[in-house]
Each structure stands twice: as C-alpha cells, then as structure tokens.
C-alpha cells in the first residue's frame, strides 16, 4: 500500500517537502533507515537526562530486514522517493506494535511522523487487528503527550498485557528506566 499525502501543519517559517509518500520500506534502504534513526535521536541532546540516547544504538539492520519481510516497516519518502522517516512495527497477536518511528532531524516538525502513524493505524485496521500499541517516554513532549493527542491512551500497570510488561522490562534491561517509560494503546474500531 502506497499513500501520497500533502503535508499539513507546517510551522511558520519552515519550508519542508510539499508531499510525502508513505510506502513499504525496501531492503536496499536499510542503512538509510539506520541513519535516519541516528539523526532523529539528536533531539534527545536537548534533554540532559536522555542525552545519551543521541549516541546510543539504533534498530539493527537485521531487525529492519525482518520487519520489511513481514510488511510492517514503512518509509516516508520525499523529493525523488528519498526516505526521510520510517515506522517499524510488528504484529503481536491482535495488535500492531510500533517499535520505532524516526524522522530525519531536518524534516521534523512537518507532520511526517503523524502521517506514518496514520498509515500504520490504517494498515492495522485493514488487517483486522484490534489495536496499535507502543512504548515511549512519559514526559518528553514529542513522546507520550504527542501520542495522546493522536488518540493513544496510557496504560497503567494494572492494565498492561504480559507482552507490554515484557517490552518495558526489556527496555529497562537496556538502560531505559522503567519509571520514565509507559505503554500506550489505540483501540481500532471493529470491522
């Protein structure tokens, strides 16, 4: 599925691409996707407690290839079909779980992330899935508060599924303090 969307909500004084195409990622783009994630992580330099993420690991090339093969890794392409952002996800039971969404730092603030998320939600609905889930930082403005504006709900400990609890525990093992993270869910309408 390929979706061509105009970009809306472009901040005053910023000039970005006029359109972006959301399409499946290709294997020959894996290194570009890793570079986009490294670029996107530079936003964490602005937050002292999380600045280490700007130089941290990114999703592996192997993992990108796996999700490309599953048909759940999409890119936002602009200007001659060049990827400027991506969203990688995985079907987990009746949910589509978003593992990573990154937009190149030069293209942030133009609604590209929102377009990628909308595409993932539409793809999950088309597959008859029940929800879209993710984990993120609680207080960083472009994380939990952003997803809440897109309709996601924060899950408390009592409502976490065992799968999401395991994801948060794994993140904690990799240095993401559990008290800074949360799991979120967007329920999809039944078909």
């Amino acid at each position: 599925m390929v979706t061509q969307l105009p970009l809306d909500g472009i901040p005053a004084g910023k000039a970005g691409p006029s359109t972006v195409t959301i399409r499946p990622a290709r294997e020959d783009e894996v290194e570009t996707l890793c570079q986009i994630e490294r670029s996107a992580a530079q936003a964490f330099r602005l937050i002292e407690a999380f600045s280490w993420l700007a130089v941290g690991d990114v999703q592996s090339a192997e993992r990108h290839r796996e999700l490309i093969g599953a048909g759940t890794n999409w890119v936002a392409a602009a200007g001659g079909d060049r990827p400027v952002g991506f969203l990688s996800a995985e079907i987990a039971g009746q949910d589509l779980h978003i593992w990573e969404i990154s937009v190149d730092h030069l293209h942030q603030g133009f609604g590209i992330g929102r377009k990628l998320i909308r595409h993932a939600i539409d793809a999950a609905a088309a597959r008859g899935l029940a929800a879209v889930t993710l984990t993120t930082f609680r207080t960083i403005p472009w994380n939990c508060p952003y997803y809440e504006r897109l309709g996601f709900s924060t899950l408390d400990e009592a409502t976490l599924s065992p799968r999401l609890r395991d994801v948060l525990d794994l993140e904690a093992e990799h240095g993401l303090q559990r008290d800074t993270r949360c799991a979120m869910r967007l329920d999809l309408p039944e078909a």
Side-chain angles (χ1 to χ4, degrees):
M1 172 175 19
V2 175
T3 308
Q4 186 125 23
L5 301 164
L7 292 174
D8 56 342
I10 295 176
K14 281 193 158 185
S18 59
T19 61
V20 64
T21 300
I22 308 296
R23 61 164 174 76
R26 300 186 304 252
E27 287 211 22
D28 65 336
E29 297 170 327
V30 167
E31 183 53 38
T32 300
L33 302 184
C34 293
Q35 291 170 3
I36 289 169
E37 186 174 353
R38 283 186 196 97
S39 173
Q42 298 313 299
F44 288 104
R45 288 187 184 276
L46 304 173
I47 304 171
E48 186 176 336
F50 300 110
S51 62
W52 62 275
L53 292 168
V55 294
D57 292 335
V58 297
Q59 186 169 261
S60 72
E62 294 77 28
R63 182 68 168 149
H64 275 294
R65 286 186 188 95
E66 178 184 333
L67 297 175
I68 288 169
T72 55
N73 202 340
W74 298 281
V75 300
D81 200 36
R82 182 178 49 88
V84 296
F86 74 88
L87 184 150
S88 59
E90 179 177 39
I91 296 173
Q94 286 297 304
D95 300 339
L96 180 71
H97 184 78
I98 297 173
W99 285 106
E100 181 63 38
I101 180 168
S102 290
V103 176
D104 178 271
H105 78 279
L106 295 175
H107 292 86
Q108 292 174 359
F110 298 112
I112 294 171
R114 184 173 56 253
K115 304 293 186 193
L116 282 162
I117 292 166
R118 171 53 37 208
H119 185 85
I121 291 167
D122 291 346
R127 292 180 186 214
L129 299 176
V132 178
T133 62
L134 56 87
T135 60
T136 193
F137 288 105
R138 289 182 182 279
T139 59
I140 295 176
W142 65 87
N143 281 206
C144 182
Y146 172 77
Y147 295 116
E148 286 174 336
R149 288 191 302 275
L150 297 178
F152 286 81
S153 299
T154 302
L155 302 173
D156 60 30
E157 285 293 321
T159 58
L160 282 178
S161 67
R163 177 185 63 81
L164 288 172
R165 188 171 287 113
D166 288 347
V167 170
L168 288 168
D169 289 343
L170 182 63
E171 291 175 350
E173 290 174 21
H174 288 94
L176 299 174
Q177 294 179 6
R178 184 77 186 268
D179 64 343
T180 67
R181 304 287 290 170
C182 66
M184 303 187 81
R185 178 182 175 95
L186 175 72
D187 290 317
L188 299 174
E190 291 185 32

